[in-house]
Amino acid sequence: QVQLVESGGDLVQPGGSLRLSCAVSGSIFRINAMRWYRQAPGKERELVATITSGGNTHYADFVKGRFTISRDNAKNTVYLQMSALKPEDTAVYYCNGDIYYTINTWMSYWGKGTLVTVSS
């Protein structure tokens, strides 16, 4: 059993910063790519950022230069540092990971999300 638990969501003013965390626990053999998605009210879920097992990162255009994804492999945790937040960043942020639970068997796992609200 593998679990992803997000934390760090909060109410923040426009222009502010926030750091989200996603802790992976359970029967983990290896963690490959990790991603942050978000879903705003009435909209589809969209990919925000990806980090590979080797540390390569990719960002959606709408967060480039403002958000940074990172990972701490020793802690099985991935982070999303968000700065210069805008009201349109308001969404539930979800963590997703490609996780091996045996040497050659993997699944894509999701967390339950954490709410980020950007408002004055």
Side-chain angles (χ1 to χ4, degrees), residues 27-76:
S27 301
I28 303 165
F29 185 80
R30 186 173 76 250
I31 300 174
N32 270 9
M34 295 291 296
R35 305 171 190 87
W36 285 99
Y37 284 78
R38 72 184 187 185
Q39 187 167 18
K43 296 188 176 181
E44 293 188 353
R45 191 171 297 189
E46 58 185 0
L47 179 62
V48 175
T50 301
I51 185 165
T52 68
S53 57
N56 293 319
T57 58
H58 306 274
Y59 298 94
D61 286 344
F62 52 80
V63 302
K64 277 182 181 177
R66 300 190 298 124
F67 291 10
T68 301
I69 189 171
S70 62
R71 61 193 290 165
D72 184 334
N73 292 328
K75 295 182 179 180
N76 289 338

